[in-house]
Amino acid sequence: MLTVSETIPAALQPQVETALAWFNSKESADFEVTGIVDPPPSAAAGEDLSLILCGGGLCRQETFRVVSSPDGPRVEWLSGDQSGAGEGVAELDPPPGALRNWIDEISGRHAFTVFLFYRGFW
């Protein structure tokens, strides 16, 4: 059974931040990490990091590997076909806390906001 943690272990924080910065740059997006799936027990280089990334009303699960190289850390994106990055990516039901800023952002831009909650999905 998968374990999803909203708290990133301190030992993995540098690798997670590197993967997030690389992903946001690659996708020209502003995602944030809201969870990690089955975090590795240590910060050993080359461990797979399966992260829950949320931003712009969308949550995605992406897997990365951060490895050391002479030129600095190198990020490998292990999730699916990288050529069609945004196509066919399943949306995830946001984990608790993932929408903490979204409501304020949306309500500030519109005169009214309608929330639709259907069978556990936003």
Side-chain angles (χ1 to χ4, degrees):
M1 176 170 227
L2 296 176
T3 302
V4 179
S5 174
E6 291 182 49
T7 305
I8 307 300
L12 297 174
Q13 194 66 42
Q15 293 172 319
V16 169
E17 289 175 4
T18 299
L20 177 64
W22 180 89
F23 184 77
N24 280 335
S25 174
K26 174 110 173 120
E27 292 290 296
S28 299
D30 192 25
F31 284 90
E32 63 181 82
V33 176
T34 60
I36 185 168
V37 180
D38 289 335
S42 69
E47 292 282 340
D48 291 357
L49 300 172
S50 186
L51 306 176
I52 306 296
L53 306 176
C54 294
L58 173 72
C59 289
R60 300 167 54 163
Q61 180 177 338
E62 300 289 345
T63 305
F64 304 93
R65 183 176 298 138
V66 180
V67 293
S68 299
S69 72
D71 300 329
R74 189 185 73 213
V75 177
E76 298 174 7
W77 188 12
L78 305 176
S79 298
D81 180 18
Q82 296 179 17
S83 63
E87 300 171 17
V89 176
E91 292 186 31
L92 302 175
D93 190 31
L99 299 177
R100 60 184 172 261
N101 297 324
W102 182 82
I103 294 172
D104 292 336
E105 290 173 16
I106 295 299
S107 63
R109 286 189 274 167
H110 304 285
F112 68 93
T113 305
V114 176
F115 294 99
L116 176 62
F117 186 77
Y118 177 73
R119 295 186 180 181
F121 295 99
W122 288 92

